[in-house]
Amino acid sequence: MTSSESSRLSRRMLLRTTAAAGAGAAATVINPGAASAAPATPLTDHDQPSTGPKSGRIPTPADYFGTPIGTDGFLAQWSRMVPYFQLIGARSDRVKYEEIGKTTQGHPYVLLTISSPKNLANLDKLVATNARLADPRGLSEAEAKKLATKGKPFYYVQAGIHSTEVGNSQAAIEWAYRLATERSEYIEKILDNLVILLQPCQNPDGIVLVNDYFAATAGTDYSRTYPDLYTKYTGHDGNRDWIMLTQVESKYNASILNKYRPQVFQDSHGASAGSPRLFTPPYLSPYDPNIDTILIQQTDTVGLAMQRGMTVAGMKGNGWGSEYDFWSASRQYCAYHGAARILTEAAAASNLAYPQVGTGPLGRQTTDINFIEPYDSNTWTLRNIIDWVSQAFYSGLETVAYDTYNWLYNSYRIGVKAVTRTSPYAYVIPAGQRDPQAVYDALEIFHLGAVEIHQAQAAFTAGGKRYPAGSYIIYMQQPYAGFAKTLLEVQDYPQLLEYPGGPPQRPYDTTAQTLPMLLGFQADLIATSFSAGTKLLSSVKPPAVVTTPAPPSSGAYAIGPESYGVFRIVAALQKQNIPTFRAAAQFTDGDRTFPAGTFLVPPSSAARQLLQAQSKATGIPVSALRTVPAVAGIQLKQGTKIGLIKPPGNMPSGWLMWTFDQYGVDYSVVTASDYASLGKYDAIIMPKGVSRNSIVNGLNSKNYPPEWAWAFGVGTTGWDQLRDFVTGGGTLVTYGSATATAQSLFSLPITSALPGGSSSDFYCPGSLLSQEFDTNNPVAWGLSANNPVWFVSNDAYRLTDTSTYPVDVVAKYPDSGSQLQSGWLIGGEDLNGAVNGLSWTIGKGFVVTFGSEIGFRTWNRSEQRTLFNAAFYGPSTKLTADQFKRLGK
């Protein structure tokens, strides 16, 4: 930093703060020149953004919204925010407004590109410079240094992914206005030196739900916080989707990072009321070793600059190096793509937008090296949140804007380290695997993640093994190989304790993400170089399939159960009412052996047309049997209807909704009024988080409007009706904590195999564990016998009685040996021989329970097929060998 820049940094001007009652915070020091913003003319609701030349005054946020941003009890709504951002883009030559696309529920997904007029006019060249530095293959160091002197760093800031963390999106309104209008030396220096990518809300659907509900309930006795998932499928898990990239919003976010390759990604969040007033990096240990060490240091640099800025401004109560770590890949796509990830977490106000008032100073009052000044007021407001996060934001901008050369040159150095990696050399994903859907899904993730994928044009040898033509190769000498590596390798999470001999230091999120185990495919690590004739793929698609000839009238179409994608085909068959069967035992046809669970479809023109289209779309082969085998089997109930018990805010239910919608499954959420007629469902799914209380009591009708009646409690009558549904012949599938709910409902004779009490004895915070599946059991049809299972603070059981109900063990933990496959596990010996998956006959009904989490964020798709197997098996018609041979005729 030059002396003049340092002087400007020290000559900050006090920013006006809204004087909320008892705010108690010193005036905030955010910037020089705040008072010099251009005057504004109020607009009416009917004013529209200009489509002509950049001209016209921009109204202040207070004028435009009619209330100052940060006022207690006021939250600007997306329906007004979007036109305001459009107006700013139309009237300011510093701002480019862009709608990237539509969200899941059809709202605009917005990006503002903010910089000096000169930089915006030269934006394509600046983007190209960033891209060239990020991929330095063929670029000399001298050329890189020259580019670093001419380019501009990109600073990407995002707000609002978690919609009840309301302060950041509100602050973004003020950021956009200030950067567009202020003519101070301070702001112009930042805009001359940076390109700012401002995403005022990463989750527009959620801000609509939360802020609109907040406005609609004003002046009522109803709770002000929207009670359900504030994203249709993911809820709070939106930023846990940045490895699987299932949601359209996640894909948009990745596309922005891939296009602009920003040096910094600021991910702005909110925390609980008792947290530090604002958390920033540095993070706790550990960090994923696949994140470049330069990025680790740069993340620390920006985070500490933010801390310094708040301290200089007299803003107290801030902390770093607590709770949040730098490990879980699912929350930090940017960190594998050249951007320092700056997580900010602001303490919450009360009831979203009202003052939090205590009997004394709020939050922790003891000091430490990473928490140097306790907050000294008993009040914390929405205005405080906006001021704190704004100070941090501008301090982050300064840190990069005043050191542009090093940030750009470091992009080059990060790229050089990636493309000159010597070990490992590559991963090979062999062609012809048992589950083409798993391979395709993995390749699609890598493609969306800007990872280069090569395909072998002829057979080759690598690591002493022969691979067929068509195999996929991911070389590690490429810019974003770290993203592929962290998803393909086995995680070995370090044994971290709070103190020597103490309990484990809790990771902030999961500790494993090994895609081959989660999806069920093979990927081989090749340590040393090899030769192969390949082509670089510009897109990925399912493997080509050979169209099978129509079987004779005595035969049938056959689809193996090895791919979890087969249930897309099953759902399509169900929609067209095409009869579908499954063999209950292994059989042979000609020289091919088919496993138990193989699907059979009688020949017809409708079946042929559907199966050909589905096979092409999924890469799952369809065979033609000459004769139907004489083995026991089942006929799936046509039009199988699945009910999903979904308490408000239950994320496992949301993820299942996404899966069912992707597969085309006929399902609906079980509402309170449905309990009197549960017989309309053939199978009911009860995911993790469904408790007796959430069913019996549900939402309190006094706290929510009548439109939430679907989630009100059903009382003990409804609880008994759920039991009667099963005993009368229905199917119930539970997993995770919902298995304890099923145990309560039916008095299941199981007891936990795990020690109670201290996490020092047993601890598994999100890992892949060993498992033994009975693949002849209908619930496990199609799985590998040793398919790993996902375990995240779940349970495992001992059967205490086998005479209460007929029961079969579907899955269990090995009797001995290592239970950990990937991640972190303490006390694995307690799992030895414990049961996990059980299938019960209760009355006339069928119940399947899993202690582990068979439906986790759509990650463990291979294991998740047990849910589909159970849901379709329970309502099916069981056939003898003779009946099956005649396909139920």
Side-chain angles (χ1 to χ4, degrees), residues 239-245 288 290-291 325-337 341 482-483 485-487 491 509-514 857 859:
N239 68 327
R240 274 74 171 174
D241 187 46
W242 291 347
I243 51 173
M244 293 307 223
L245 302 173
D288 182 353
N290 293 300
I291 300 172
D325 58 41
F326 216 165
W327 179 268
S328 177
S330 64
R331 296 184 300 112
Q332 48 204 31
Y333 177 94
C334 62
Y336 305 95
H337 292 81
R341 181 182 185 242
F483 183 65
K485 184 171 176 287
T486 201
L487 296 182
Q491 276 69 54
D509 208 308
T510 58
T511 61
Q513 61 263 355
T514 309
R857 299 179 186 166
W859 288 15

Short mmCIF file of all heavy atoms in Angstrom, two decimals, residues 239-245 288 290-291 325-337 341 482-483 485-487 491 509-514 857 859:
data_model
loop_
_atom_site.label_atom_id
_atom_site.label_comp_id
_atom_site.label_asym_id
_atom_site.label_seq_id
_atom_site.Cartn_x
_atom_site.Cartn_y
_atom_site.Cartn_z
N ASN A 239 -26.34 -23.81 0.48
CA ASN A 239 -24.89 -23.74 0.33
C ASN A 239 -24.20 -25.01 0.81
O ASN A 239 -23.02 -25.01 1.14
CB ASN A 239 -24.31 -22.51 1.05
CG ASN A 239 -24.43 -22.62 2.56
OD1 ASN A 239 -25.38 -23.20 3.07
ND2 ASN A 239 -23.49 -22.03 3.27
N ARG A 240 -24.95 -26.10 0.84
CA ARG A 240 -24.35 -27.44 0.98
C ARG A 240 -24.48 -28.21 -0.33
O ARG A 240 -24.19 -29.39 -0.39
CB ARG A 240 -25.03 -28.23 2.09
CG ARG A 240 -24.48 -28.00 3.48
CD ARG A 240 -24.85 -26.69 4.06
NE ARG A 240 -24.48 -26.58 5.47
CZ ARG A 240 -24.60 -25.47 6.18
NH1 ARG A 240 -25.07 -24.36 5.60
NH2 ARG A 240 -24.25 -25.43 7.44
N ASP A 241 -24.88 -27.50 -1.37
CA ASP A 241 -25.12 -28.13 -2.67
C ASP A 241 -24.02 -27.78 -3.67
O ASP A 241 -24.18 -28.00 -4.86
CB ASP A 241 -26.49 -27.65 -3.20
CG ASP A 241 -26.92 -28.36 -4.48
OD1 ASP A 241 -26.80 -29.60 -4.52
OD2 ASP A 241 -27.36 -27.68 -5.42
N TRP A 242 -22.92 -27.26 -3.19
CA TRP A 242 -21.91 -26.73 -4.10
C TRP A 242 -20.87 -27.77 -4.52
O TRP A 242 -19.85 -27.43 -5.09
CB TRP A 242 -21.26 -25.49 -3.49
CG TRP A 242 -22.21 -24.33 -3.44
CD1 TRP A 242 -23.42 -24.22 -4.07
CD2 TRP A 242 -22.05 -23.11 -2.72
NE1 TRP A 242 -24.01 -23.02 -3.79
CE2 TRP A 242 -23.20 -22.31 -2.96
CE3 TRP A 242 -21.05 -22.59 -1.88
CZ2 TRP A 242 -23.37 -21.05 -2.40
CZ3 TRP A 242 -21.23 -21.33 -1.33
CH2 TRP A 242 -22.37 -20.57 -1.58
N ILE A 243 -21.16 -29.05 -4.23
CA ILE A 243 -20.40 -30.11 -4.91
C ILE A 243 -21.32 -30.91 -5.84
O ILE A 243 -20.93 -31.26 -6.94
CB ILE A 243 -19.70 -31.07 -3.92
CG1 ILE A 243 -20.66 -31.61 -2.86
CG2 ILE A 243 -18.50 -30.39 -3.28
CD1 ILE A 243 -20.07 -32.68 -1.97
N MET A 244 -22.55 -31.16 -5.42
CA MET A 244 -23.46 -31.93 -6.27
C MET A 244 -24.12 -31.05 -7.33
O MET A 244 -24.50 -31.55 -8.39
CB MET A 244 -24.53 -32.61 -5.42
CG MET A 244 -23.98 -33.68 -4.50
SD MET A 244 -23.01 -34.91 -5.37
CE MET A 244 -23.55 -36.42 -4.64
N LEU A 245 -24.29 -29.76 -7.03
CA LEU A 245 -24.83 -28.81 -8.00
C LEU A 245 -26.16 -29.28 -8.58
O LEU A 245 -26.39 -29.28 -9.78
CB LEU A 245 -23.81 -28.57 -9.12
CG LEU A 245 -22.44 -28.03 -8.65
CD1 LEU A 245 -21.45 -27.99 -9.81
CD2 LEU A 245 -22.57 -26.66 -8.00
N ASP A 288 -9.02 -28.38 3.98
CA ASP A 288 -8.89 -29.44 2.98
C ASP A 288 -7.56 -29.23 2.25
O ASP A 288 -7.35 -28.16 1.65
CB ASP A 288 -10.06 -29.37 2.01
CG ASP A 288 -10.03 -30.47 0.95
OD1 ASP A 288 -9.04 -31.22 0.87
OD2 ASP A 288 -11.02 -30.57 0.20
N ASN A 290 -6.70 -30.04 -0.49
CA ASN A 290 -6.90 -29.77 -1.91
C ASN A 290 -7.14 -28.29 -2.21
O ASN A 290 -7.27 -27.91 -3.37
CB ASN A 290 -8.07 -30.60 -2.44
CG ASN A 290 -7.78 -32.08 -2.42
OD1 ASN A 290 -6.85 -32.55 -3.05
ND2 ASN A 290 -8.56 -32.83 -1.66
N ILE A 291 -7.23 -27.46 -1.17
CA ILE A 291 -7.33 -26.02 -1.34
C ILE A 291 -5.91 -25.46 -1.35
O ILE A 291 -5.12 -25.75 -0.45
CB ILE A 291 -8.14 -25.38 -0.20
CG1 ILE A 291 -9.56 -25.96 -0.17
CG2 ILE A 291 -8.20 -23.86 -0.38
CD1 ILE A 291 -10.37 -25.53 1.03
N ASP A 325 -14.85 -24.09 9.94
CA ASP A 325 -13.57 -24.60 9.46
C ASP A 325 -13.50 -24.47 7.95
O ASP A 325 -14.39 -23.94 7.30
CB ASP A 325 -13.35 -26.05 9.92
CG ASP A 325 -14.45 -26.99 9.46
OD1 ASP A 325 -14.90 -26.88 8.30
OD2 ASP A 325 -14.87 -27.85 10.25
N PHE A 326 -12.40 -24.97 7.38
CA PHE A 326 -12.13 -24.83 5.94
C PHE A 326 -12.05 -26.22 5.31
O PHE A 326 -11.23 -26.46 4.43
CB PHE A 326 -10.80 -24.09 5.75
CG PHE A 326 -10.78 -23.15 4.55
CD1 PHE A 326 -9.77 -22.20 4.45
CD2 PHE A 326 -11.73 -23.21 3.55
CE1 PHE A 326 -9.71 -21.34 3.36
CE2 PHE A 326 -11.68 -22.35 2.47
CZ PHE A 326 -10.67 -21.41 2.38
N TRP A 327 -12.94 -27.13 5.76
CA TRP A 327 -12.83 -28.51 5.32
C TRP A 327 -13.90 -28.90 4.30
O TRP A 327 -13.59 -29.35 3.20
CB TRP A 327 -12.91 -29.46 6.52
CG TRP A 327 -12.84 -30.91 6.14
CD1 TRP A 327 -13.89 -31.75 5.88
CD2 TRP A 327 -11.66 -31.68 5.93
NE1 TRP A 327 -13.45 -33.00 5.53
CE2 TRP A 327 -12.07 -32.98 5.55
CE3 TRP A 327 -10.30 -31.40 6.03
CZ2 TRP A 327 -11.16 -34.00 5.28
CZ3 TRP A 327 -9.39 -32.42 5.76
CH2 TRP A 327 -9.83 -33.70 5.39
N SER A 328 -15.16 -28.76 4.64
CA SER A 328 -16.22 -29.36 3.85
C SER A 328 -16.33 -28.75 2.47
O SER A 328 -16.63 -27.56 2.31
CB SER A 328 -17.56 -29.22 4.58
OG SER A 328 -18.60 -29.74 3.79
N ALA A 329 -16.11 -29.57 1.46
CA ALA A 329 -16.13 -29.08 0.07
C ALA A 329 -17.51 -28.61 -0.35
O ALA A 329 -17.64 -27.75 -1.23
CB ALA A 329 -15.66 -30.19 -0.87
N SER A 330 -18.55 -29.12 0.27
CA SER A 330 -19.90 -28.80 -0.19
C SER A 330 -20.26 -27.35 0.02
O SER A 330 -21.22 -26.86 -0.58
CB SER A 330 -20.92 -29.68 0.56
OG SER A 330 -20.91 -29.39 1.95
N ARG A 331 -19.52 -26.61 0.85
CA ARG A 331 -19.84 -25.20 1.13
C ARG A 331 -18.86 -24.24 0.46
O ARG A 331 -18.98 -23.03 0.66
CB ARG A 331 -19.81 -24.95 2.65
CG ARG A 331 -20.88 -25.71 3.41
CD ARG A 331 -20.87 -25.35 4.90
NE ARG A 331 -19.61 -25.67 5.54
CZ ARG A 331 -18.74 -24.77 6.01
NH1 ARG A 331 -19.01 -23.48 5.91
NH2 ARG A 331 -17.62 -25.14 6.56
N GLN A 332 -17.91 -24.74 -0.33
CA GLN A 332 -16.87 -23.82 -0.79
C GLN A 332 -16.37 -24.18 -2.19
O GLN A 332 -15.17 -24.38 -2.40
CB GLN A 332 -15.72 -23.78 0.20
CG GLN A 332 -15.21 -25.13 0.67
CD GLN A 332 -14.52 -25.03 2.02
OE1 GLN A 332 -14.85 -24.22 2.86
NE2 GLN A 332 -13.53 -25.87 2.22
N TYR A 333 -17.29 -24.23 -3.13
CA TYR A 333 -16.92 -24.44 -4.53
C TYR A 333 -15.82 -23.47 -4.95
O TYR A 333 -14.88 -23.84 -5.66
CB TYR A 333 -18.17 -24.24 -5.39
CG TYR A 333 -17.97 -24.34 -6.88
CD1 TYR A 333 -18.17 -25.54 -7.53
CD2 TYR A 333 -17.59 -23.23 -7.63
CE1 TYR A 333 -18.00 -25.65 -8.91
CE2 TYR A 333 -17.42 -23.32 -9.00
CZ TYR A 333 -17.62 -24.53 -9.64
OH TYR A 333 -17.45 -24.63 -10.99
N CYS A 334 -15.94 -22.22 -4.50
CA CYS A 334 -14.99 -21.19 -4.93
C CYS A 334 -13.56 -21.52 -4.56
O CYS A 334 -12.62 -21.15 -5.27
CB CYS A 334 -15.38 -19.85 -4.32
SG CYS A 334 -15.34 -19.83 -2.52
N ALA A 335 -13.37 -22.19 -3.42
CA ALA A 335 -12.02 -22.44 -2.92
C ALA A 335 -11.24 -23.40 -3.81
O ALA A 335 -10.01 -23.45 -3.73
CB ALA A 335 -12.08 -22.98 -1.50
N TYR A 336 -11.93 -24.16 -4.63
CA TYR A 336 -11.26 -25.06 -5.59
C TYR A 336 -11.19 -24.41 -6.98
O TYR A 336 -10.75 -25.05 -7.93
CB TYR A 336 -12.02 -26.39 -5.67
CG TYR A 336 -12.17 -27.03 -4.31
CD1 TYR A 336 -13.32 -26.84 -3.56
CD2 TYR A 336 -11.16 -27.81 -3.76
CE1 TYR A 336 -13.46 -27.40 -2.30
CE2 TYR A 336 -11.29 -28.38 -2.51
CZ TYR A 336 -12.44 -28.16 -1.78
OH TYR A 336 -12.57 -28.73 -0.53
N HIS A 337 -11.64 -23.16 -7.04
CA HIS A 337 -11.68 -22.46 -8.32
C HIS A 337 -11.03 -21.09 -8.23
O HIS A 337 -11.44 -20.14 -8.91
CB HIS A 337 -13.13 -22.35 -8.81
CG HIS A 337 -13.72 -23.68 -9.18
ND1 HIS A 337 -14.22 -24.57 -8.24
CD2 HIS A 337 -13.88 -24.30 -10.39
CE1 HIS A 337 -14.65 -25.65 -8.85
NE2 HIS A 337 -14.46 -25.52 -10.15
N ARG A 341 -12.39 -17.80 -0.02
CA ARG A 341 -13.77 -17.82 0.47
C ARG A 341 -13.86 -17.05 1.79
O ARG A 341 -13.31 -17.47 2.80
CB ARG A 341 -14.29 -19.23 0.69
CG ARG A 341 -15.73 -19.21 1.18
CD ARG A 341 -16.30 -20.57 1.45
NE ARG A 341 -17.71 -20.44 1.81
CZ ARG A 341 -18.22 -20.81 3.00
NH1 ARG A 341 -17.44 -21.32 3.92
NH2 ARG A 341 -19.50 -20.66 3.26
N GLY A 482 -8.18 -29.85 -8.19
CA GLY A 482 -8.46 -30.01 -6.77
C GLY A 482 -9.93 -30.29 -6.50
O GLY A 482 -10.27 -31.01 -5.55
N PHE A 483 -10.81 -29.73 -7.33
CA PHE A 483 -12.24 -29.97 -7.17
C PHE A 483 -12.55 -31.44 -7.45
O PHE A 483 -13.29 -32.09 -6.69
CB PHE A 483 -13.02 -29.06 -8.11
CG PHE A 483 -14.52 -29.18 -7.99
CD1 PHE A 483 -15.17 -28.81 -6.83
CD2 PHE A 483 -15.28 -29.65 -9.06
CE1 PHE A 483 -16.55 -28.91 -6.72
CE2 PHE A 483 -16.66 -29.74 -8.96
CZ PHE A 483 -17.30 -29.38 -7.79
N LYS A 485 -10.36 -33.93 -7.39
CA LYS A 485 -9.63 -34.79 -6.45
C LYS A 485 -10.36 -34.91 -5.12
O LYS A 485 -10.47 -36.00 -4.55
CB LYS A 485 -8.21 -34.26 -6.25
CG LYS A 485 -7.32 -35.13 -5.37
CD LYS A 485 -5.88 -34.63 -5.41
CE LYS A 485 -4.98 -35.41 -4.48
NZ LYS A 485 -5.23 -35.07 -3.05
N THR A 486 -10.87 -33.79 -4.61
CA THR A 486 -11.53 -33.86 -3.30
C THR A 486 -12.82 -34.66 -3.37
O THR A 486 -13.27 -35.20 -2.36
CB THR A 486 -11.80 -32.45 -2.75
OG1 THR A 486 -11.99 -32.52 -1.34
CG2 THR A 486 -13.01 -31.79 -3.40
N LEU A 487 -13.41 -34.77 -4.56
CA LEU A 487 -14.64 -35.55 -4.71
C LEU A 487 -14.36 -37.03 -5.01
O LEU A 487 -15.22 -37.88 -4.75
CB LEU A 487 -15.50 -34.97 -5.83
CG LEU A 487 -16.04 -33.56 -5.57
CD1 LEU A 487 -16.92 -33.11 -6.73
CD2 LEU A 487 -16.82 -33.49 -4.28
N GLN A 491 -11.59 -39.41 2.14
CA GLN A 491 -11.23 -38.39 3.11
C GLN A 491 -10.67 -39.02 4.39
O GLN A 491 -11.22 -40.02 4.90
CB GLN A 491 -12.44 -37.52 3.48
CG GLN A 491 -12.70 -36.38 2.50
CD GLN A 491 -13.17 -36.85 1.16
OE1 GLN A 491 -14.15 -37.59 1.07
NE2 GLN A 491 -12.50 -36.43 0.09
N ASP A 509 -19.27 -28.99 9.36
CA ASP A 509 -20.22 -29.74 8.54
C ASP A 509 -19.69 -31.15 8.41
O ASP A 509 -19.00 -31.65 9.29
CB ASP A 509 -20.42 -29.05 7.18
CG ASP A 509 -21.79 -29.32 6.57
OD1 ASP A 509 -22.16 -30.50 6.47
OD2 ASP A 509 -22.49 -28.37 6.19
N THR A 510 -19.99 -31.80 7.31
CA THR A 510 -19.62 -33.19 7.13
C THR A 510 -18.13 -33.35 6.91
O THR A 510 -17.42 -32.39 6.59
CB THR A 510 -20.38 -33.76 5.93
OG1 THR A 510 -20.07 -32.97 4.77
CG2 THR A 510 -21.88 -33.72 6.17
N THR A 511 -17.66 -34.59 7.03
CA THR A 511 -16.22 -34.85 6.89
C THR A 511 -15.88 -35.70 5.68
O THR A 511 -14.71 -35.98 5.44
CB THR A 511 -15.68 -35.54 8.16
OG1 THR A 511 -16.34 -36.81 8.34
CG2 THR A 511 -15.91 -34.67 9.39
N ALA A 512 -16.86 -36.14 4.92
CA ALA A 512 -16.59 -36.99 3.76
C ALA A 512 -17.44 -36.55 2.58
O ALA A 512 -18.55 -36.04 2.75
CB ALA A 512 -16.86 -38.46 4.08
N GLN A 513 -16.90 -36.77 1.37
CA GLN A 513 -17.67 -36.49 0.15
C GLN A 513 -17.19 -37.36 -1.01
O GLN A 513 -17.18 -36.92 -2.15
CB GLN A 513 -17.55 -35.00 -0.23
CG GLN A 513 -16.15 -34.51 -0.54
CD GLN A 513 -15.47 -33.84 0.64
OE1 GLN A 513 -16.06 -33.64 1.68
NE2 GLN A 513 -14.21 -33.48 0.47
N THR A 514 -16.80 -38.60 -0.71
CA THR A 514 -16.22 -39.49 -1.72
C THR A 514 -17.28 -39.96 -2.71
O THR A 514 -18.07 -40.86 -2.42
CB THR A 514 -15.54 -40.68 -1.04
OG1 THR A 514 -14.66 -40.21 -0.02
CG2 THR A 514 -14.77 -41.51 -2.05
N ARG A 857 -29.32 -35.30 1.49
CA ARG A 857 -29.05 -34.23 0.51
C ARG A 857 -28.90 -34.74 -0.93
O ARG A 857 -28.18 -34.12 -1.73
CB ARG A 857 -27.78 -33.47 0.88
CG ARG A 857 -27.80 -32.75 2.21
CD ARG A 857 -26.47 -32.05 2.46
NE ARG A 857 -26.38 -31.46 3.78
CZ ARG A 857 -25.26 -31.04 4.33
NH1 ARG A 857 -24.10 -31.15 3.69
NH2 ARG A 857 -25.25 -30.50 5.54
N TRP A 859 -27.02 -36.98 -1.78
CA TRP A 859 -25.62 -37.38 -1.98
C TRP A 859 -25.51 -38.89 -2.19
O TRP A 859 -24.92 -39.34 -3.17
CB TRP A 859 -24.78 -36.98 -0.78
CG TRP A 859 -24.51 -35.53 -0.63
CD1 TRP A 859 -25.14 -34.49 -1.27
CD2 TRP A 859 -23.52 -34.92 0.21
NE1 TRP A 859 -24.62 -33.29 -0.87
CE2 TRP A 859 -23.63 -33.52 0.05
CE3 TRP A 859 -22.58 -35.42 1.10
CZ2 TRP A 859 -22.80 -32.63 0.73
CZ3 TRP A 859 -21.76 -34.53 1.79
CH2 TRP A 859 -21.87 -33.15 1.60
#
